[in-house]
Amino acid sequence: MKNKSLYILSIIALFIGIFSLYELGNTPNNDIPQGLNAGAMKRFVFNDKMVPATNASFQDANGRVVNFSDFNGKVILVNLWATWCAPCIKEMPDLNELQKSFENDDFEVILISQNSDGIESSLAFLKNNNISHLTTYIDTNRSVARTFKANALPTSILINAEGYEVGRLVGPAEWNSDSAQRLINYFLLKSKPL
């Protein structure tokens, strides 16, 4: 009887140990609280360590060269998209509402179109679909996508106010959700001086 109890306790301890290791393996890093990648953000993957955002440049609607350093001091959500990408189109209204809800904060959704026909079709899409709170840029030679190692559209990359990539979500998401707002708010609060 004593051996049977010891055996059962050993099995329980083993399961607790395996579960603990699993949970530790899913902890993105010690700086980020658990639960930020839950709900609609469950596919958001935090980097093990923060890495500087790419220095690849892209262009605005007037052909002006833009860099991510131009947004230092803001938390930004870079969304790589294209008008021919159905999942991109699906999440666009949510991204628009996300930007609208943070309009007075130091947060910006940065759309970077991967269209090969120039920015005009992207601008027309936003106008025709009442996407009025977002601005799109163009990455004509796909240098941004390549340096971010983004192989699928849409890909959304979160960059903190110091210019470091903290994580990403590949594929469409419900960006106008409570869990997305919690994620953005966490990094906005971290960027504010105490």
Side-chain angles (χ1 to χ4, degrees):
M1 185 72 155
K2 186 176 180 182
N3 285 342
K4 188 175 182 182
S5 296
L6 188 59
Y7 178 74
I8 291 171
L9 286 174
S10 297
I11 296 285
I12 291 171
L14 178 65
F15 279 115
I16 290 172
I18 289 171
F19 180 75
S20 297
L21 284 175
Y22 174 78
E23 284 301 308
L24 284 173
N26 283 331
T27 303
N29 64 43
N30 293 335
D31 297 332
I32 299 172
Q34 292 252 335
L36 281 181
N37 57 345
M41 295 291 103
K42 67 183 170 206
R43 291 182 298 110
F44 189 91
V45 177
F46 288 97
N47 295 343
D48 290 333
K49 58 184 176 187
M50 294 193 197
V51 294
T54 175
N55 60 1
S57 60
F58 44 101
Q59 294 179 336
D60 67 12
N62 299 316
R64 185 178 67 90
V65 173
V66 182
N67 295 296
F68 289 108
S69 61
D70 296 336
F71 300 96
N72 277 357
K74 282 187 170 188
V75 174
I76 62 173
L77 181 67
V78 177
N79 181 266
L80 303 176
W81 75 293
T83 57
W84 46 261
C85 165
C88 301
I89 303 310
K90 181 181 179 193
E91 74 174 355
M92 200 59 65
D94 271 5
L95 286 166
N96 191 54
E97 289 302 313
L98 179 69
Q99 180 63 62
K100 182 180 176 184
S101 66
F102 284 102
E103 210 155 36
N104 298 321
D105 291 310
D106 290 326
F107 170 74
E108 190 168 347
V109 175
I110 307 294
L111 297 179
I112 302 181
S113 173
Q114 303 298 297
N115 283 7
S116 56
D117 63 350
I119 199 167
E120 291 76 20
S121 60
S122 301
L123 293 170
F125 169 82
L126 295 180
K127 183 178 180 185
N128 295 338
N129 290 281
N130 297 317
I131 307 295
S132 58
H133 297 280
L134 300 175
T135 301
T136 191
Y137 300 86
I138 189 83
D139 180 22
T140 52
N141 61 6
R142 295 197 169 85
S143 62
V144 173
R146 271 196 311 278
T147 57
F148 272 130
K149 296 182 175 112
N151 300 318
L153 293 180
T155 295
S156 298
I157 300 145
L158 187 63
I159 299 174
N160 70 12
E162 291 78 38
Y164 288 88
E165 178 187 337
V166 295
R168 64 179 60 196
L169 193 153
V170 177
E174 295 175 34
W175 288 108
N176 191 32
S177 62
D178 290 342
S179 47
Q181 292 195 3
R182 269 193 308 276
L183 177 68
I184 302 303
N185 272 321
Y186 173 77
F187 287 99
L188 278 172
L189 289 172
K190 275 192 78 156
S191 69
K192 304 274 190 244
L194 295 175

